[in-house]
Amino acid sequence: MGQRVRREARVEGVVQGVGFRPFVHTLARRLGLAGHVGNDADGVFLAVEGSSEGVARFLDALKAEAPPLAVIDRIEVTEVPPLGAARFDILPSPPGGVANTLVSADSATCADCLRELADPGDRRYRYPFVNCTNCGPRFTIVRGVPYDRPRTTMAGFALCRDCAREYADPADRRFHAQPVCCPACGPRLRLGTAEGDDALRVAVRLLGEGRVLAVKGLGGYHLAVAAASEPAAAALRSRKHREDKPFAIMVPDLAVAGDLCEVDPVAERLLTGRRRPIVLLPRRRAAPVAPSVAPGNRMLGVLLPYTPLHHLLLTDFAAPIVLTSANVSDEPIVFRDDEARDRLSGIADAFLTHDRPIHVRTDDSVARTFRGRAQLQRRSRGYAPEPVVVGQDFRRHVLACGAELKNTFCLAKGRHAFLSHHIGDLENYETLRSFTEGIEHFGRLFDIAPEIVAHDLHPEYLSTKYALDLAESGTVEPVGVQHHHAHIAACLADNAESGPVLGVAFDGTGYGTDHTIWGGEFLLADLAGFRRVGHLEPVRMPGGTAAVRQPWRMAAAYLGATDDTGDLDVVRRHAREWPAVVSMAASGVNAPLTSSAGRLFDAVAALLGVRDTTNYEGQAAIELEQLADPAVRGGYPAGISAADPVTVSGADLVKSVVDDLRAGRAVDVVAARFHNGVAEAIRGVCARLREATGVGTVALSGGVFQNVLLLDRTVDLLEGRGFRVLTHSRVPTNDGGVSLGQAVVAANTTGPVRQ
Ligand SMILES: [Zn+2]
Ligand SMILES: [Zn+2]
């Protein structure tokens, strides 16, 4: 026996409502230690006393063996003299609960609950709402804080005696599990007049008959059809008015995911982990998936069941199903029962639903892997509202309102940036309501009263208007953050760095400080400011937003008055409108200037016959990436000016594309050479900027870098030249990450940004 010692410790992070106190209790008893553990406003506090070896082992295990839903930010240990304590106690929470606690994200059904679900002898056998301290709904059912049952959507379900006993027993897996329930006391499944297992049986039969099923999930309604059935997938697509956007597929297990797609080890961890995003995976050639599921796409979005209901449905149906957010076109996911019946009646043939209300609509998250790391493209269910921990403190409370498309907002204090769930495109009333209600909800949950409100510079964004309205009240200081600076700052925060870096922000649209539309930007940036040190040469967008929906207009803008374009297919396809669009670009009337990289990709996509009009944002560029042959090396040259800021000629790339097309080169080769050319131009500009500034770290951000071919080539080329390259992982590279960037910039800026 070593010397007797006592240590007090504070544990911060997501440590309440996740079984942390019982875990500490069990661990201390196993090691023969005395002491206590309790919750307070900052997390968990504890004391352990006993042999020095035992205490050392306890402190090692505290983080290493923490319960699955715990996210530990910080453990602070203090040495104190032993008190001669003899037992270990769990201290009750203070009356009225504890404010300021972190709410955990919704979590996939754990292995213990799955065993109960499949065990005919268990009282929760085939119960679609089984959950415990280690799994189940959280964020989507929380109405307020402190987090306890009366402040969740489980408030209306009184615990039966058996559930109450489990809830009160520190040795039970369901000790203080707020959503605990069972068939005797919990929510019920329903389909029409059928309940429980009968409802499931009908659902499975309907799927087998090729019907469209609305299924109430964790964060909203989904629409489901058999993934192998072309008539079913086609019917869903036409009823949903979703012409081309790929549907996600839920598969019964990992083995089936492997039948459909190539699954690398990082993807495997994402698929089977507790957060369960949709994972974008390279599809196998012979994958038995109906063509209408993901038309013309080399990738499939795949996810594994994450609720007990999904597990039952997939086990019984025993084949992959399409599982796509229930909404019409670009509206947000439907989550209220009455709303579901109204809006989905023309789409779904039947509703598999239940009586546990959803408080916050939350879409599925979307991830992919890149060089052994996960990359989130949409950070929502399973991640929100857990904070992104940043490198330095927010000294004042910050609200960042995000961008217009793929909106998220962010509330921040301390070292925590509470990035919201995916709100969506802020262009209709429903989304705007989610946005404003979401901000209020987060403010209450995390006890944040903003002193600073950060916003985009675009005066017409609804998020900007919201921020400026809020600032009108006089108590909140507005800080405008340039869109691409926010992207680069988000990438810095994502990597817990502060710069300076050479930021490459490539996306579709962002309001520039010169009031033109930016989107192909090189910024010398840190968290406090930036200088625009390079960009793509601006071109006209004939027809403004019409050019976003019709990429062929960008081809016209790039080719401009070049004579003899009549032989090009894209010109022939639009022979009637072409001259007018070209002269619109030449005159500049209704044709704003843009340095957007997204629009350059659009122009090339149209030239290669990939797409003349788009049905969703970024579609042309996504399909251009699909077309490119990754085996092709070598890229087209682009002129780089010696001016300050440096400019890159997109027109040079377009000209090479045209030359190769005329030479009869295969389009997959041309598409690849274009990608490689863009990557080489980025390397060329960064090399020149490094000479001028001495900065050797590059941060890549913006929606264009969702293009993995481009990202891969760019990182290769930059690293080959000795650059250190930062890319996104924890937050999206697209506009979903902008609010985080705004928040850290605002925190590092004393007044409004004026560049
Ligand atoms: Zn569980
Ligand atoms: Zn019960």
Side-chain angles (χ1 to χ4, degrees):
M1 276 290 270
Q3 181 196 355
R4 189 171 176 90
V5 298
R6 184 179 174 91
R7 297 284 182 273
E8 290 179 359
R10 297 213 57 90
V11 187
E12 290 174 21
V14 183
V15 288
Q16 296 183 3
V18 296
F20 208 83
R21 287 177 305 160
F23 152 69
V24 168
H25 179 247
T26 307
L27 180 63
R29 299 247 285 229
R30 198 177 79 208
L31 296 168
L33 304 176
H36 61 256
V37 60
N39 285 337
D40 69 9
D42 297 315
V44 163
F45 62 91
L46 62 92
V48 283
E49 183 169 337
S51 72
S52 54
E53 295 87 354
V55 168
R57 277 168 61 199
F58 174 90
L59 293 173
D60 284 343
L62 196 55
K63 186 155 191 176
E65 295 173 23
L69 295 198
V71 182
I72 296 175
D73 287 354
R74 184 151 45 181
I75 300 179
E76 221 179 80
V77 181
T78 322
E79 290 192 32
V80 290
L83 298 177
R87 23 177 275 180
F88 196 94
D89 297 315
I90 294 184
L91 306 181
S93 287
V98 183
N100 200 26
T101 59
L102 299 185
V103 175
S104 52
D106 301 280
S107 189
T109 313
C110 74
D112 290 330
C113 286
L114 283 181
R115 261 192 296 280
E116 293 172 345
L117 191 67
D119 175 5
D122 193 276
R123 69 192 188 91
R124 292 187 178 88
Y125 175 57
R126 289 186 64 82
Y127 180 55
F129 306 95
V130 55
N131 67 80
C132 72
T133 314
N134 300 327
C135 75
R138 294 291 186 280
F139 173 58
T140 51
I141 62 164
V142 172
R143 288 191 164 126
V145 282
Y147 171 59
D148 55 15
R149 191 168 176 109
R151 291 179 193 81
T152 70
T153 64
M154 287 299 290
F157 300 94
L159 290 174
C160 70
R161 202 190 312 185
D162 288 335
C163 287
R165 183 176 41 72
E166 293 167 339
Y167 182 88
D169 177 3
D172 194 278
R173 201 170 92 247
R174 297 194 165 87
F175 177 64
H176 281 203
Q178 305 304 345
V180 65
C181 58
C182 75
C185 67
R188 273 160 207 253
L189 197 63
R190 201 161 42 77
L191 192 157
T193 54
E195 283 205 3
D197 246 10
D198 290 340
L200 259 170
R201 257 191 299 279
V202 179
V204 168
R205 178 170 53 79
L206 291 174
L207 283 174
E209 290 170 358
R211 304 298 188 86
V212 177
L213 203 62
V215 182
K216 185 176 178 181
L218 213 45
Y221 278 78
H222 286 98
L223 293 164
V225 294
S229 163
E230 176 56 20
L236 174 58
R237 197 165 278 290
S238 80
R239 291 186 209 174
K240 219 177 163 235
H241 305 300
R242 180 165 173 147
E243 289 171 70
D244 301 296
K245 216 167 179 173
F247 292 139
I249 300 175
M250 183 174 270
V251 295
D253 54 38
L254 195 60
V256 178
D259 292 342
L260 301 187
C261 297
E262 293 163 33
V263 183
D264 66 56
V266 180
E268 182 174 326
R269 282 200 295 279
L270 282 168
L271 284 169
T272 56
R274 71 173 176 95
R275 303 182 188 278
R276 302 263 159 133
I278 295 167
V279 185
L280 301 177
L281 299 166
R283 89 194 273 171
R284 293 194 190 280
R285 214 175 282 276
V289 169
S292 286
V293 170
N297 215 306
R298 283 208 293 240
M299 309 289 279
L300 284 178
V302 173
L303 79 170
L304 261 55
Y306 56 87
T307 69
L309 173 56
H310 295 147
H311 280 284
L312 292 170
L313 197 58
L314 270 290
T315 305
D316 292 1
F317 187 62
I321 59 172
V322 164
L323 198 72
T324 185
S325 294
N327 55 4
V328 181
S329 296
D330 292 325
E331 289 180 8
I333 188 170
V334 169
F335 74 118
R336 291 193 185 96
D337 299 324
D338 50 347
E339 183 192 22
R341 273 188 302 274
D342 283 358
R343 295 193 187 214
L344 305 178
S345 56
I347 302 178
D349 296 309
F351 290 78
L352 183 62
T353 185
H354 60 76
D355 53 355
R356 184 181 71 206
I358 298 168
H359 187 67
V360 180
R361 72 153 50 100
T362 312
D363 289 85
D364 291 322
S365 295
V366 181
R368 68 189 300 167
T369 65
F370 179 72
R371 300 191 175 204
R373 283 213 296 182
Q375 263 190 351
L376 283 177
Q377 292 199 351
R378 185 200 288 155
R379 184 185 184 277
S380 204
R381 195 257 314 145
Y383 295 86
E386 289 178 12
V388 175
V389 179
V390 296
Q392 52 181 162
D393 262 23
F394 291 94
R395 289 184 301 272
R396 294 197 281 169
H397 289 194
V398 179
L399 164 64
C401 295
E404 179 91 338
L405 299 177
K406 298 186 170 68
N407 177 276
T408 62
F409 60 82
C410 177
L411 279 157
K413 71 172 182 184
R415 286 170 65 237
H416 289 153
F418 296 95
L419 196 59
S420 77
H421 50 301
H422 169 76
I423 301 292
D425 299 349
L426 280 185
E427 47 194 18
N428 61 53
Y429 174 75
E430 270 301 299
T431 332
L432 186 63
R433 198 168 75 161
S434 284
F435 173 78
T436 55
E437 289 177 354
I439 289 172
E440 286 159 25
H441 188 52
F442 269 57
R444 279 192 304 270
L445 284 186
F446 305 115
D447 196 21
I448 297 178
E451 297 154 273
I452 297 172
V453 60
H455 59 83
D456 197 275
L457 297 182
H458 200 305
E460 294 305 318
Y461 281 4
L462 292 179
S463 56
T464 304
K465 291 179 173 173
Y466 175 90
L468 296 177
D469 281 350
L470 194 67
E472 285 274 289
S473 68
T475 56
V476 186
E477 180 188 346
V479 178
V481 180
Q482 200 280 326
H483 188 87
H484 302 96
H485 184 207
H487 269 305
I488 299 306
C491 187
L492 285 169
D494 196 338
N495 291 279
E497 300 213 5
S498 53
V501 285
L502 299 172
V504 184
F506 274 23
D507 69 358
T509 301
Y511 198 78
T513 51
D514 60 0
H515 311 296
T516 69
I517 300 164
W518 293 6
E521 309 306 311
F522 296 85
L523 309 179
L524 174 61
D526 60 17
L527 297 179
F530 74 95
R531 194 162 74 79
R532 191 190 196 199
V533 287
H535 55 84
L536 282 181
E537 256 170 35
V539 292
R540 297 282 170 183
M541 281 170 68
T545 51
V548 179
R549 288 190 304 271
Q550 301 177 357
W552 68 268
R553 287 171 176 257
M554 291 312 301
Y558 266 106
L559 293 174
T562 318
D563 9 285
D564 297 336
T565 52
D567 60 317
L568 297 174
D569 282 343
V570 67
V571 182
R572 282 202 209 115
R573 288 196 301 271
H574 301 278
R576 215 161 41 82
E577 302 149 284
W578 193 269
V581 169
V582 167
S583 66
M584 192 188 278
S587 69
V589 175
N590 189 22
L593 279 172
T594 184
S595 55
S596 163
R599 298 294 85 79
L600 173 61
F601 275 78
D602 282 356
V604 173
L607 273 167
L608 296 190
V610 169
R611 185 148 285 281
D612 285 343
T613 58
T614 59
N615 300 312
Y616 62 91
E617 200 228 359
Q619 185 180 12
I622 289 168
E623 294 178 0
L624 184 63
E625 177 191 1
Q626 305 284 326
L627 177 69
D629 178 353
V632 172
R633 298 283 153 173
Y636 300 131
I640 298 173
S641 80
D644 181 15
V646 172
T647 59
V648 181
S649 170
D652 286 355
L653 296 170
V654 170
K655 185 175 179 306
S656 296
V657 167
V658 170
D659 289 348
D660 258 1
L661 277 179
R662 285 188 169 135
R665 199 82 63 196
V667 286
D668 57 342
V669 175
V670 179
R673 287 181 175 173
F674 167 71
H675 277 81
N676 298 343
V678 173
E680 283 168 14
I682 291 171
R683 173 184 61 181
V685 173
C686 288
R688 191 168 300 180
L689 294 172
R690 178 168 58 185
E691 275 173 34
T693 63
V695 175
T697 302
V698 176
L700 304 176
S701 189
V704 167
F705 287 111
Q706 288 182 133
N707 182 326
V708 167
L709 177 61
L710 177 69
L711 183 65
D712 188 57
R713 289 294 142 88
T714 305
V715 173
D716 264 351
L717 292 174
L718 287 170
E719 289 183 346
R721 281 291 180 86
F723 283 99
R724 200 165 69 89
V725 185
L726 306 179
T727 58
H728 279 279
S729 172
R730 297 187 291 171
V731 301
T733 190
N734 59 45
D735 281 5
V738 160
S739 61
L740 174 65
Q742 291 173 342
V744 292
V745 170
N748 281 276
T749 317
T750 46
V753 182
R754 292 197 185 84
Q755 263 91 15

